[in-house]
Amino acid sequence: APGAKRARARRERREAKRAKRDADDARRTRIRAYYDGAYDGPPTAALLFALSEAVASAEPTELWLAALGLTGARAAWRLDDDAYDDFSEYFAAQLRHVEARRARLGQDAPVAGEGYQAPPGTVTHEREELRFMLHRHWSLFDAMYYSNYVASRLSVWKHDGKRRLQELLAKVGLSLETCRQTYAFLSRDQREGLVKNLREQGPAYDLDEPFTATFHRVSAGGGIVSAHDVASCVDALLEGHFVEDPNRRLVRAARNDPGPTDPNERARREFLAGFWRAYDAVLGDDEGLLKRGIAAAGALQRGVVDQAVSMVEKREVATLKHFRYAYVTAGGTDVFAKPLALRKLALFLVGVHRANGKWADAKAKPLVLLAEKGETFLVVGVDAREGSAKNRLAAAFRLACEHVKIDAQQDLFDAAVVEVGHDDVQRFVESLHYIMTHAS
């Protein structure tokens, strides 16, 4: 009947409109979800290397710099293990192309066991390196104790955790006395035994992947430097966690140069000095600078672990519905009043609680740390969800500042790092809670 046909046609038009409206709503929801956070892409150093390889033949120096960027991105949780392995294999393949090209030109590659000393600038790919912090420069015990990978899985600061670490070292065939001496003093047999036994015994102590791929470079002085060590050194130097050369300190004192009195000018000079020190350290050719940078990186890592342990034991991290937060007090020092250092602390705390299951799966929430910095508070946020490439706090920080109409400084590549005035910090936290509650 004509009436039934018209009714059916109206019903189909209504259903088509409803479907279109639902599709538009779903599209707007996807767009909002995309823009309500910040994403970590591939390391810029890796992209620049790929570009240089596409337009010309890349050299070992370019590959080394790309490896440093890759290593730093993984250490900062901006790159997961799978992506790191993929990039490492790509760089290793490019390194083989470089070696093949040099062989065609009559420049022989070093041959193991024939007494050949690789020339400065030579880069090699190592498939298995110990995943312990600065282990070439520390004792094996300290390298494991202060390593994010080991400390978070064994809770080494607890009595039971330290006992398990000592038990593991005994099972890999090394006495505690041996493990407390500098790793470089271990014999070749002891190192090979460590690798073999750690591969067998590690999984029983939650150390399923105690090795990682990396790259080595021969420095100007003939020494071997690792991308992991140099990346840690560069991070420490960049933010000024640095022990000044005594000779330079004496020269400055002789000139009676106290430095600028204006805090902003002093901060600017310190930043520039740190940048150029880091720049000079990337190739590892300045052995004196590298040594001081390694010492600074070690001191920073010890500070991170000690501060995190203190915060865990004192239960200083408060939990709200949509995020966790804590104020960081570092005993009168300003070591955590710097973005990279404060972020390292946040990542260590997340790693510890993720490993023990307290912040895992449905209990995973972003972590916000606030450290006093003169008349302001430095605020850093990290996402605690495993495998997440998105930081939901980036947009939330901006909206929280706009909501309560406070001035905030943000001059880094990381949008989840802001500086908030001392008098505004409590209102900022309350606003952030409000914003994230209504965004969920």
Side-chain angles (χ1 to χ4, degrees):
K5 290 181 179 179
R6 286 195 295 271
R8 185 167 59 253
R10 287 194 298 270
R11 185 168 59 254
E12 290 174 352
R13 285 196 297 271
R14 285 196 300 270
E15 291 175 354
K17 289 182 179 178
R18 186 181 301 110
K20 183 178 183 303
R21 186 167 58 251
D22 292 343
D24 291 343
D25 291 342
R27 178 176 176 273
R28 284 192 289 269
T29 299
R30 288 196 302 272
I31 291 174
R32 280 198 302 270
Y34 180 83
Y35 285 105
D36 71 351
Y39 294 81
D40 293 320
T44 303
L47 298 180
L48 288 175
F49 173 79
L51 179 62
S52 67
E53 182 64 25
V55 300
S57 297
E59 294 297 323
T61 298
E62 284 82 13
L63 192 146
W64 170 256
L65 296 176
L68 281 186
L70 181 70
T71 304
R74 185 201 197 184
W77 288 17
R78 301 189 187 281
L79 198 71
D80 61 29
D81 288 350
D82 291 338
Y84 176 86
D85 291 340
D86 291 342
F87 273 111
S88 293
E89 288 300 322
Y90 167 68
F91 291 159
Q94 297 305 315
L95 184 59
R96 290 192 291 271
H97 293 331
V98 171
E99 293 172 349
R101 185 173 68 249
R102 291 192 164 192
R104 289 195 299 269
L105 297 175
Q107 302 172 353
D108 295 333
V111 180
E114 296 186 8
Y116 183 94
Q117 175 62 46
T122 300
V123 177
T124 58
H125 177 239
E126 304 296 327
R127 293 191 175 277
E128 284 194 343
E129 178 169 274
L130 291 173
R131 201 172 176 177
F132 307 147
M133 180 77 181
L134 301 175
H135 66 274
R136 291 176 191 77
H137 311 276
W138 282 355
S139 68
L140 180 61
F141 184 88
D142 285 347
M144 296 181 72
Y145 185 92
Y146 289 104
S147 164
N148 286 19
Y149 178 71
V150 177
S152 61
R153 285 163 174 76
L154 297 185
S155 298
V156 293
W157 61 90
K158 296 180 180 179
H159 177 75
D160 186 59
K162 185 175 288 188
R163 180 191 59 77
R164 293 186 69 203
L165 174 58
Q166 293 174 351
E167 183 180 279
L168 171 61
L169 291 172
K171 287 187 176 181
V172 299
L174 296 175
S175 67
L176 191 58
E177 181 181 358
T178 300
C179 294
R180 291 192 181 278
Q181 70 181 11
T182 304
Y183 176 83
F185 294 155
L186 267 63
S187 68
R188 182 173 180 177
D189 290 342
Q190 287 175 323
R191 296 186 193 187
E192 291 177 351
L194 169 64
V195 171
K196 176 179 178 295
N197 294 328
L198 192 59
R199 187 179 287 110
E200 296 173 356
Q201 300 293 336
Y205 295 84
D206 298 325
L207 303 181
D208 300 316
E209 298 177 351
F211 307 101
T212 182
T214 190
F215 291 84
H216 290 175
R217 183 178 186 273
V218 180
S219 68
I224 306 296
V225 295
S226 164
H228 283 86
D229 295 345
V230 176
S232 298
C233 168
V234 168
D235 269 357
L237 294 177
L238 187 61
E239 288 195 328
H241 305 285
F242 177 76
V243 179
E244 187 177 15
D245 187 340
N247 294 328
R248 293 191 178 186
R249 191 185 307 120
L250 288 173
V251 169
R252 198 158 49 80
R255 290 176 179 174
N256 195 23
D257 179 18
T261 56
D262 179 61
N264 293 329
E265 177 62 18
R266 186 166 60 248
R268 188 186 73 85
R269 288 196 185 184
E270 289 175 354
F271 171 80
L272 290 176
F275 174 84
W276 289 116
R277 289 193 192 105
Y279 180 85
D280 290 338
V282 292
L283 296 181
D285 288 338
D286 187 335
E287 294 185 4
L289 179 61
L290 182 65
K291 183 177 180 180
R292 293 195 298 276
I294 291 294
L300 175 60
Q301 182 66 14
R302 291 175 188 270
V304 166
V305 175
D306 292 344
Q307 180 68 28
V309 170
S310 174
M311 295 175 69
V312 169
E313 291 179 343
K314 295 178 181 178
R315 299 184 179 181
E316 293 180 347
V317 180
T319 301
L320 300 180
K321 184 176 182 181
H322 297 290
F323 67 94
R324 295 180 173 90
Y325 76 98
Y327 289 91
V328 178
T329 55
T333 68
D334 62 348
V335 63
F336 294 112
K338 299 174 182 179
L340 294 180
L342 190 58
R343 195 172 192 277
K344 286 178 184 290
L345 176 60
L347 292 178
F348 186 87
L349 285 168
V350 170
V352 167
H353 289 91
R354 183 189 289 175
N356 62 27
K358 294 181 178 180
W359 293 3
D361 302 324
K363 293 178 286 187
K365 298 178 181 180
L367 174 64
V368 177
L369 294 184
L370 307 97
E372 193 168 10
K373 182 182 179 182
E375 298 180 354
T376 65
F377 270 88
L378 179 67
V379 186
V380 168
V382 297
D383 203 317
R385 294 176 299 174
E386 188 168 7
S388 175
K390 175 182 176 182
N391 191 329
R392 294 171 290 171
L393 291 170
F397 279 7
R398 175 178 55 82
L399 293 174
C401 293
E402 293 176 355
H403 178 247
V404 291
K405 296 181 174 59
I406 59 175
D407 293 330
Q409 300 178 20
Q410 198 281 322
D411 59 355
L412 297 170
F413 292 107
D414 191 344
V417 178
V418 297
E419 279 189 42
V420 180
H422 197 284
D423 296 333
D424 298 323
V425 66
Q426 186 59 40
R427 291 196 300 138
F428 171 81
V429 173
E430 294 171 356
S431 177
L432 183 62
H433 175 63
Y434 173 83
I435 292 295
M436 297 193 71
T437 298
H438 285 76
S440 61

